[in-house]
Amino acid sequence: MLTKDVIKTMSDETLVPLGFVSEGKKVRIVSIIGGSRIRNRIIEMGLRKGIDVTIIKNSFGPVIIAIGQTRFALGRGISAKILTRLINGKVNK
Amino acid sequence: MTIKTKNIKDISDGSKISINIALIGNPNTGKSTLFNALTGLKQKIGNWPGVTVEKKEGKRSFNNFELSITDLPGTYSLSASSLDEQIARDFIVHDTPEIVVQIVDASNLERNLYLTSMIKELGARVIIALNMMDLLEKDGSSIDVQKLSKELHIPIIPMIANKKIGVDDLENAIEAVYQEDQKPMGIRYSKEVEETLSKIQNMLATIPSIPTNFKLRWLAIQILQNSTEIPTLLKRWNVKDTVIGELTSFGKEDYEAEIIDSKYEYISKVTSKVWKKGETKLTRSDLIDKVVTHKWLGIPIFLLIMWGSFQFVFAISVPFMELIDMLFGWLAGLLVDNIQIEWLGSLLGDGIVGGVGSVLIFVPPIFTMFFILSILEDSGYLARAAFVMDKLMVKFGLHGHSFIPMLLGFGCNVPAIMSTRALKDKKDRMITILINPFMSCGARMPVFILFAGLFFGASAGTVIFALYVLGIAVAILTAVLLRKTFFKGKSAPFIMELPTYHSPKLKAATIAMWDKGKMYLKKAGTIILIGVVFVWFLAAMPFGGVEYGGPDTWLAAVGTFFEPIFKPLGFDWRIVVALIVGFIAKELVIGSLGTIVGGGESEEGIKSAILADGGFYALNSLSLMVFTLLYVPCAAVVGVMKKETGSWRWTIFSIVYSTVIAWLFAFAVFQIGSLMGFGL
Ligand SMILES: Nc1nc2c(ncn2[C@@H]2O[C@H](COP(=O)(O)OP(=O)(O)OP(=O)(O)O)[C@@H](O)[C@H]2O)c(=O)[nH]1
Ligand SMILES: [Mg+2]
């Protein structure tokens, strides 16, 4: 579903779907696209706009991300729908 | 109803005040651990989200209070996107417990408080059990508990539930909270939302049939965000269709997002004052994950763990089994020889000791298996297995989450099928339920251990491992088939929290092993006992004259009637009988064979009896193992299948399908084996 909001964000080059961020990078969630039902459930799990996420693993199969001490595994499909922006490109180790 | 402290102290006639308490919280935060600490019961605990999928009640009394405490499945919100979450939501909404204790993971404060905000909207009195305080400081975070409590108007009890730290404080808080009303949280929505909410609320206020314990504001919010269950709820209260239509027309999808945002906004504002966030650091868990979920190593490591487990089970239990086998063989002989009344001696010797005894021999491997499974569940690896398998499972039309019920099936298919309640998509769930019986449960293991041990010597462990893998393969093929036919569509997105690894605790694993193993012992003393006595009876009838277990008995009549169907699989009538009785419970396959073949003719147990018999050899025992692996696990699974699918059609489908599959595979094994010269 391409809402106005999404199209606006898509034209901004610095936005990267979570599934394309490489390991060790830290990003901030900017928006979540997709049907409202799924989107709302993800937000309720704590993955929401403005939250900082560190990519722990992204090579094969699902992506592992860290929010504080919490770790999530996100399937390929869903991690393509979470749009993020790099935070100062610093590798966080 | 409010009671003042003075009044409570005055009650001296011993009458207790009973309070209903619900334990709710995000998955894997320690609800069941706290429940066990409070009630002394033994709810299952595991280090992965979705362990508890059914509510469970327990009691605790202190001072003048009798608490009735309910442990609930974990949930992120009250939106109920899966069946287990719905069970938690319905309990909180409809059973209106007097106090809701929310277990909050201290290291994930914001998200946990989101759930709090929903519970508070219901008008519930809440106590927060701030659990896992021991893990809080790990990344340098800290929480000003007193200040947070003031901000939220909710008592907060810091706890370490698995060490029972904080339980007394929780009791005191329950006593205090019971006596006073709580202020609501200070969440305000946008002007538009608030105005619409009061419009809806005014309309609701004119409907007398809405129970008084329902907070109208909560109802209004549900209506506003288009909650799917609202129309049903209103109908239940006999609200007119026109009114329902009018009410639901206020709902808009966008409102839900806005309401969620406002809640989070408020929570962030509060937590920013009291919560010092730590830095996200690479932890030991992350390093383990890099290896365990590695692109190339992930699946081999999983298979290695499985293979190692079976080798371990086998190696540890063989000597104990020999011992028990000898003991029962000796006992059976003793009974048959020394009891004067011939039929009684045979009943006790052949039937009970021969039958139940052959089942009890397998206590060591079954207990070891449960022990290993508990360790896997407690370590946190289970969620990783789901992760590793995700890529593969997606190819087969499911996703990683469905692999957890599959693995649990190695213990027992009944709880495994129930654990599918955590799946979000109905079709995913149906498929995952229907393929579960192919995952080989503990009760099938005796058949494998006995026959693989007798006829495959040193490679017995590998044969057993291969059987388990065959079970997985058939399950997966079935999933593909079902996805392509009856359950077309895409699976729900895969999102799962990965718990931090714990080093498994031997004591906890031993307790868990005993809890599950107890069921096996109990079954041996009940259903298996009845089953083998029944088999013994048929094997001894008609009365007088016939050779026990011989070709002229009633049992043989039944067996030979069905024998033609099973002849191409290499089974004689005795195996046929054992398989038929095994429909009730898989232990009865061995139990019946023990009764029929391993009777108390000599001072030898079932093993030597089978070896001496001549009717069993490598190839037909392999096809017997394959058949046992694949056909209906037991009557209990049929029951839970009906309950969880809600459909007799699918239950019957499962019975027929698995039996046909079992026959085909056993047929292939036996015929191909015979062609290759492995026959008798
Ligand atoms: N470090 C630490 N671990 C805890 C604490 N309380 C519970 N645990 C562990 O956390 C894990 C989850 O515990 P459970 O009681 O099964 O959690 P639950 O909330 O019932 O989980 P679900 O039923 O899946 O929602 C287990 O491994 C517990 O041993 C605690 O205070 N500190
Ligand atoms: Mg639980």
Side-chain angles (χ1 to χ4, degrees):
Chain A
M1 194 177 66
L2 287 179
T3 61
K4 236 192 282 164
D5 184 41
V6 174
I7 293 170
K8 200 174 71 206
T9 51
M10 275 169 72
S11 61
D12 186 341
E13 324 183 302
T14 55
L15 281 190
V16 193
L18 197 61
F20 294 95
V21 183
S22 47
E23 273 175 29
K25 290 272 194 313
K26 195 168 179 179
V27 292
R28 181 162 299 162
I29 298 179
V30 176
S31 74
I32 297 168
I33 53 179
S36 64
R37 200 141 274 282
I38 290 169
R39 194 178 58 215
N40 290 338
R41 298 295 82 78
I42 297 175
I43 296 173
E44 289 184 330
M45 291 177 87
L47 287 157
R48 59 197 174 88
K49 203 163 84 184
I51 287 285
D52 291 352
V53 170
T54 308
I55 313 294
I56 302 289
K57 185 177 172 289
N58 186 4
S59 61
F60 180 77
V63 183
I64 301 183
I65 60 166
I67 301 176
Q69 285 188 29
T70 312
R71 301 291 180 269
F72 280 104
L74 299 174
R76 280 279 150 206
I78 195 71
S79 48
K81 291 185 175 154
I82 300 175
L83 303 181
T84 65
R85 178 175 287 137
L86 269 184
I87 303 173
N88 61 38
K90 181 181 99 197
V91 178
N92 201 281
K93 275 205 173 154
Chain B
M1 182 178 60
T2 38
I3 304 171
K4 291 277 176 281
T5 324
K6 265 182 287 167
N7 302 344
I8 292 171
K9 293 273 156 62
D10 284 348
I11 300 173
S12 46
D13 60 351
S15 69
K16 296 226 168 195
I17 302 167
S18 53
I19 312 178
N20 283 321
I21 294 183
L23 299 184
I24 199 168
N26 284 181
N28 209 38
T29 48
K31 296 175 293 298
S32 303
T33 310
L34 177 59
F35 177 83
N36 290 353
L38 287 171
T39 62
L41 295 177
K42 286 184 191 138
Q43 268 281 74
K44 183 172 164 181
I45 289 167
N47 187 21
W48 48 282
V51 178
T52 310
V53 290
E54 181 66 278
K55 59 188 177 198
K56 164 93 181 172
E57 200 185 310
K59 301 242 178 279
R60 178 185 183 88
S61 11
F62 74 95
N63 298 348
N64 261 312
F65 295 98
E66 166 103 354
L67 309 182
S68 148
I69 304 168
T70 308
D71 184 23
L72 294 170
T75 181
Y76 292 106
S77 74
L78 298 183
S79 320
S81 51
S82 54
L83 191 57
D84 59 340
E85 292 191 356
Q86 195 182 327
I87 290 168
R89 197 266 318 269
D90 286 352
F91 189 83
I92 296 287
V93 173
H94 298 295
D95 290 49
T96 47
E98 281 137 315
I99 296 176
V100 176
V101 173
Q102 189 197 345
I103 291 75
V104 165
D105 176 355
S107 60
N108 195 341
L109 194 58
E110 274 188 354
R111 187 192 65 199
N112 280 259
L113 291 181
Y114 174 76
L115 177 61
T116 320
S117 71
M118 295 190 111
I119 302 167
K120 283 291 288 185
E121 263 170 4
L122 272 168
R125 288 179 199 163
V126 179
I127 297 172
I128 288 178
L130 193 63
N131 198 27
M132 312 231 180
M133 287 302 281
D134 52 329
L135 303 181
L136 182 64
E137 287 153 20
K138 276 206 165 159
D139 61 353
S141 34
S142 64
I143 298 172
D144 184 340
V145 174
Q146 270 184 346
K147 201 163 168 195
L148 180 61
S149 170
K150 271 223 184 74
E151 289 279 341
L152 297 173
H153 314 295
I154 295 174
I156 300 179
I157 315 299
M159 302 199 81
I160 305 174
N162 58 352
K163 300 212 173 80
K164 299 197 180 166
I165 294 175
V167 173
D168 292 344
D169 295 343
L170 185 62
E171 276 186 346
N172 294 335
I174 289 170
E175 186 167 352
V177 165
Y178 186 65
Q179 296 162 47
E180 58 197 40
D181 282 324
Q182 252 179 13
K183 275 195 208 159
M185 266 186 178
I187 298 174
R188 287 277 127 197
Y189 302 115
S190 72
K191 198 157 162 254
E192 186 193 338
V193 168
E194 286 292 349
E195 274 169 14
T196 325
L197 279 179
S198 46
K199 257 188 235 155
I200 301 175
Q201 237 169 295
N202 288 339
M203 268 187 81
L204 289 172
T206 63
I207 304 172
S209 56
I210 296 176
T212 45
N213 58 3
F214 265 87
K215 267 289 247 224
L216 294 187
R217 183 174 167 87
W218 178 80
L219 260 183
I221 293 173
Q222 301 310 303
I223 290 171
L224 193 70
Q225 58 187 21
N226 254 343
S227 276
T228 44
E229 48 128 29
I230 283 297
T232 349
L233 203 59
L234 292 174
K235 271 212 187 87
R236 207 192 301 163
W237 296 327
N238 295 318
V239 181
K240 278 199 224 87
D241 282 346
T242 47
V243 181
I244 295 180
E246 212 176 317
L247 282 168
T248 45
S249 69
F250 284 108
K252 245 204 286 178
E253 262 184 13
D254 294 349
Y255 281 142
E256 185 176 13
E258 189 189 326
I259 285 171
I260 296 175
D261 281 348
S262 309
K263 283 183 179 138
Y264 264 125
E265 214 170 277
Y266 170 79
I267 291 161
S268 308
K269 211 175 77 203
V270 170
T271 52
S272 68
K273 296 182 204 163
V274 300
W275 184 33
K276 192 174 138 263
K277 266 194 231 183
E279 273 289 303
T280 298
K281 281 181 279 197
L282 270 193
T283 59
R284 201 173 44 130
S285 263
D286 295 327
L287 297 179
I288 299 176
D289 275 342
K290 294 222 165 181
V291 180
V292 163
T293 65
H294 186 268
K295 190 171 176 178
W296 302 118
L297 296 178
I299 289 181
I301 287 178
F302 167 73
L303 290 174
L304 198 72
I305 290 176
M306 246 179 82
W307 183 81
S309 303
F310 293 121
Q311 296 295 330
F312 180 78
V313 167
F314 211 60
I316 287 266
S317 42
V318 162
F320 291 104
M321 284 161 52
E322 300 280 337
L323 213 69
I324 303 175
D325 191 21
M326 261 163 55
L327 188 75
F328 281 116
W330 171 78
L331 197 61
L334 206 68
L335 288 170
V336 175
D337 293 347
N338 290 324
I339 294 186
Q340 300 304 323
I341 313 165
E342 197 184 316
W343 69 266
L344 188 64
S346 167
L347 170 64
L348 292 176
D350 295 327
I352 295 177
V353 177
V356 176
S358 342
V359 172
L360 289 180
I361 293 170
F362 296 96
V363 162
I366 292 201
F367 274 57
T368 321
M369 184 76 186
F370 285 146
F371 183 79
I372 289 177
L373 277 174
S374 303
I375 285 193
L376 279 183
E377 285 186 45
D378 196 34
S379 67
Y381 180 74
L382 211 61
R384 275 69 184 190
F387 180 102
V388 168
M389 287 299 171
D390 181 69
K391 185 98 183 172
L392 208 66
M393 298 291 280
V394 167
K395 286 211 178 84
F396 301 123
L398 289 172
H399 61 63
H401 200 150
S402 289
F403 200 66
I404 288 187
M406 290 172 76
L407 277 179
L408 294 177
F410 287 154
C412 173
N413 300 101
V414 173
I417 287 175
M418 288 182 63
S419 76
T420 60
R421 290 178 180 185
L423 293 173
K424 296 212 180 323
D425 183 83
K426 275 218 177 79
K427 289 178 181 170
D428 288 1
R429 178 160 184 256
M430 283 298 280
I431 298 176
T432 312
I433 292 174
L434 289 168
I435 65 176
N436 201 275
F438 295 119
M439 306 306 290
S440 184
C441 66
R444 280 170 257 187
M445 206 165 49
V447 179
F448 306 159
I449 293 184
L450 178 68
F451 286 99
L454 282 177
F455 296 104
F456 292 89
S459 31
T462 312
V463 167
I464 296 175
F465 174 69
L467 283 164
Y468 277 79
V469 174
L470 175 67
I472 299 182
V474 172
I476 284 178
L477 285 176
T478 305
V480 174
L481 213 74
L482 289 172
R483 181 60 94 190
K484 291 227 162 100
T485 52
F486 300 106
F487 300 102
K488 285 205 176 92
K490 266 172 78 182
S491 74
F494 175 56
I495 310 173
M496 187 156 50
E497 238 184 294
L498 298 177
T500 313
Y501 287 101
H502 293 315
S503 50
K505 286 162 203 71
L506 289 187
K507 193 178 149 213
T510 312
I511 293 173
M513 168 188 84
W514 174 247
D515 275 344
K516 288 185 213 155
K518 215 168 48 187
M519 300 297 290
Y520 184 80
L521 292 178
K522 218 164 147 188
K523 244 162 75 188
T526 51
I527 192 140
I528 310 301
L529 181 67
I530 297 169
V532 297
V533 168
F534 179 67
V535 169
W536 170 84
F537 178 75
L538 291 180
M541 288 288 119
F543 200 65
V546 294
E547 180 203 349
Y548 175 81
D552 299 322
T553 56
W554 290 0
L555 195 69
V558 176
T560 34
F561 179 77
F562 290 104
E563 201 182 49
I565 310 176
F566 292 97
K567 197 108 214 175
L569 318 186
F571 305 160
D572 68 12
W573 68 265
R574 294 169 308 174
I575 302 183
V576 173
V577 166
L579 289 174
I580 293 173
V581 186
F583 180 84
I584 301 189
K586 278 295 145 297
E587 294 92 331
L588 275 171
V589 174
I590 294 283
S592 313
L593 285 176
T595 307
I596 308 168
V597 183
E601 294 162 6
S602 60
E603 290 178 11
E604 294 163 332
I606 183 168
K607 279 190 173 179
S608 10
I610 281 182
L611 274 182
D613 182 82
F616 301 88
Y617 46 97
L619 187 60
N620 81 342
S621 57
L622 187 64
S623 104
L624 170 61
M625 286 188 276
V626 168
F627 194 90
T628 306
L629 168 76
L630 297 173
Y631 87 114
V632 188
C634 65
V637 165
V638 173
V640 78
M641 189 87 108
K642 163 68 181 58
K643 188 165 164 236
E644 299 296 313
T645 59
S647 138
W648 272 119
R649 254 188 46 210
W650 282 114
T651 311
I652 291 167
F653 166 84
S654 164
I655 297 171
V656 174
Y657 174 78
S658 60
T659 311
V660 169
I661 287 281
W663 191 91
L664 288 174
F665 273 82
F667 177 80
V669 165
F670 190 74
Q671 293 304 325
I672 295 172
S674 298
L675 285 177
M676 288 163 67
F678 292 117
L680 195 56

